[in-house]
Amino acid sequence: MAESQLRQGPSRVPLFTMMQKVPAGLMLIPLALGVLVNSFAPEALKIGGFTQALFKDGALALIGLLIFATGAQITGSRSGKAAAATTTVVLVCKTLIPASVAIALGLLVGVEGFLGISILALLAIMGNSNGALWLAFAGEYGDERDTGAYVASAFDDGPFLALIFLGASGLGDIPVLALVAAVVPFILGLIVGAVDREWTHVLDHVPNITIPFMSFAVGAGISLGTVLTGGVQGVFLGIGVVIFTGGLTYLGYRFVLRRGPKSGIGFAAGTTAGNAVAVPTAVAAADPRFLPFVPAAAAQTATAVLVTAILAPIVASWVLKRSGGLTVHDPVAETTA
């Protein structure tokens, strides 16, 4: 009883709450701390044991756990058939088309990309969407079709789509076994989510637990100089994601789904997921040729996460307001009407 009361008592320093108040704070703050430690005390985390395993070498294991939880969330979804068309539009417009454009660009200019922006960074930033932001925004201004499309963001989370695109295009030398190894946690998660909803409920909390530790471990491989040089590029990339991928999803809402005044919700998909910062590391684990691009790509991705988390809901709200669709969804009123 005493232990239960202690857990329910107020925090002396509400660190978790403060991190959540910062856009993408659960990812950005630990990432920044990891970068600072790696820049000013690089040997501090190389002492072996559990310390090095968790804070320096733990990124891949934590990414695997996150991928497993993602699979369980997809098959554990209660979105139903009403969200199928919306999910397809969001997945195609937010992820598949932009990723295809990034690959086409890579085939044209090479994996090095242009202006210091590698194809690895473009895939990580364009191919992952912030499902939590989408769920919050769609839940307030949309209906069950929109919230159910959260499945699209769950599907594009993680590195396997990037691996598939790179391998299929020939830009990456992705061994079949490496691709299988990346997909196995996802498939196991699909199975667990399909057969046991209780496990799905438990795994819902995995992102909040793993993302801070994963982000710190990723940051522990990045220097402060890389962040400073990649930050400006990340800002422009973030703006581009909102305009390009959010704009495509808006067009899908307007002309394919024919959602009229509510089409502005589509711009809320123009985001980059916090765990996208781990995609470059995971891709480089499958194809070491991408290792030189990982630090800059991770730094650019982290900046884009912050920019899109702030800008996407602002743009979506503005478009909804102009079209007369900025009304809060009230399922109770709809039921009694």
Side-chain angles (χ1 to χ4, degrees):
M1 179 65 73
E3 182 180 356
S4 177
Q5 291 175 347
L6 179 62
R7 289 179 178 178
Q8 295 175 3
S11 301
R12 291 186 176 89
V13 181
L15 296 174
F16 189 81
T17 301
M18 288 189 293
M19 290 171 66
Q20 285 187 312
K21 289 182 178 179
V22 177
L26 287 179
M27 183 277 298
L28 286 172
I29 294 175
L31 182 80
L33 291 174
V35 170
L36 291 174
V37 171
N38 185 57
S39 300
F40 298 105
E43 300 301 318
L45 301 178
K46 298 179 181 179
I47 60 176
F50 301 123
T51 300
Q52 182 170 338
L54 178 60
F55 295 108
K56 183 68 177 178
D57 304 329
L60 287 179
L62 293 170
I63 293 169
L65 177 58
L66 199 59
I67 292 172
F68 179 87
T70 297
Q73 289 168 350
I74 290 177
T75 51
S77 172
R78 296 179 176 84
S79 57
K81 295 181 180 179
T86 309
T87 300
T88 302
V89 166
V90 173
L91 183 62
V92 170
C93 294
K94 169 60 188 88
T95 301
L96 300 184
I97 293 178
S100 298
V101 170
I103 289 297
L105 189 61
L107 292 172
L108 184 65
V109 303
V111 294
E112 297 84 2
F114 58 97
L115 300 177
I117 303 171
S118 66
I119 300 305
L120 182 60
L122 286 176
L123 278 174
I125 292 170
M126 289 188 173
N128 287 262
S129 55
N130 188 329
L133 190 150
W134 171 266
L135 201 57
F137 193 90
E140 185 170 4
Y141 299 111
D143 56 29
E144 68 278 357
R145 292 171 293 178
D146 307 301
T147 55
Y150 168 80
V151 174
S153 63
F155 182 77
D156 65 29
D157 274 357
F160 37 87
L161 282 183
L163 290 171
I164 290 172
F165 272 93
L166 287 170
S169 65
L171 286 174
D173 184 15
I174 311 297
V176 175
L177 189 60
L179 187 58
V180 171
V183 175
V184 165
F186 180 72
I187 294 175
L188 292 176
L190 288 175
I191 296 171
V192 169
V195 302
D196 191 345
R197 294 293 190 266
E198 188 172 349
W199 259 113
T200 299
H201 176 69
V202 170
L203 291 168
D204 282 343
H205 302 286
V206 164
N208 284 344
I209 298 170
T210 58
I211 286 178
F213 293 95
M214 176 197 72
S215 299
F216 186 95
V218 170
I222 302 173
S223 68
L224 187 58
T226 302
V227 173
L228 295 177
T229 56
V232 175
Q233 296 157 327
V235 170
F236 287 105
L237 285 169
I239 295 173
V241 166
V242 175
I243 295 173
F244 180 50
T245 67
L248 281 177
T249 311
Y250 164 77
L251 293 176
Y253 256 68
R254 183 172 181 181
F255 296 108
V256 179
L257 299 176
R258 300 186 182 279
R259 293 293 300 277
K262 290 293 186 179
S263 298
I265 293 174
F267 270 103
T271 57
T272 299
N275 56 0
V277 73
V279 170
T281 302
V283 171
D287 186 349
R289 293 184 303 167
F290 287 97
L291 278 172
F293 307 115
V294 170
Q300 291 161 1
T301 302
T303 306
V305 170
L306 176 61
V307 171
T308 59
I310 295 173
L311 193 57
I314 293 175
V315 173
S317 298
W318 180 77
V319 174
L320 283 173
K321 185 177 181 180
R322 283 181 61 86
S323 63
L326 196 63
T327 55
V328 176
H329 172 56
D330 188 355
V332 176
E334 291 178 3
T335 303
T336 56

